[in-house]
Amino acid sequence: MSGKLKNIEKGTILKLKEQIVYQQGQIVSKTLVQNEAVSLTLFAFEKGEEISTHAAGGDALVTVLEGTGKFTIDGNEFILQEGESIIMPKDIPHAVYGQERFKMLLNVVF
């Protein structure tokens, strides 16, 4: 299996929400791992920014690290706050919206 952890220090304690910073009017992403089996990505959303409806090729577990995000999964809306997680199933349409500025960790298993 190819792909390694990247963009993070190995063998040290990490606060994931400190590994990515907000940028005005943007969604910032930072890939930690990406290979044929899994993808781990940090995101920082400014309030009002969104990723429009799409479907993923794997099951996606999202954990909110800071703030509040709105997740629409198959037409159903969920508001998640720091420490909360939800699964967005493979091939099911979903969207993500910055209810307020927030950070999340996205884990996709293919």
Side-chain angles (χ1 to χ4, degrees):
M1 185 181 310
S2 63
K4 295 181 180 179
L5 290 172
K6 61 182 186 176
N7 294 324
I8 57 174
E9 290 290 323
K10 295 165 184 70
T12 61
I13 296 171
L14 300 171
K15 291 189 178 181
L16 289 176
K17 67 183 178 182
E18 295 176 0
Q19 301 300 309
I20 191 165
V21 296
Y22 296 107
Q23 288 187 356
Q24 186 63 37
Q26 295 185 35
I27 299 168
V28 179
S29 66
K30 181 177 181 179
T31 301
L32 303 180
V33 177
Q34 189 159 12
N35 60 40
E36 64 276 1
V38 67
S39 171
L40 304 177
T41 308
L42 293 170
F43 286 88
F45 282 70
E46 276 292 340
K47 182 177 181 176
E49 294 299 316
E50 71 178 315
I51 296 176
S52 60
T53 302
H54 64 284
D59 289 323
L61 170 68
V62 172
T63 300
V64 174
L65 304 173
E66 177 178 273
T68 303
K70 180 173 77 173
F71 299 82
T72 305
I73 304 169
D74 202 21
N76 300 303
E77 290 185 359
F78 302 89
I79 305 296
L80 276 70
Q81 297 179 344
E82 182 174 332
E84 296 181 325
S85 300
I86 195 163
I87 292 178
M88 300 182 293
K90 177 182 177 180
D91 299 328
I92 300 296
H94 59 270
V96 183
Y97 176 78
Q99 191 79 5
E100 61 182 55
R101 66 182 350 205
F102 83 103
K103 296 178 182 179
M104 69 179 202
L105 173 63
L106 173 66
N107 303 283
V108 182
V109 179
F110 299 102

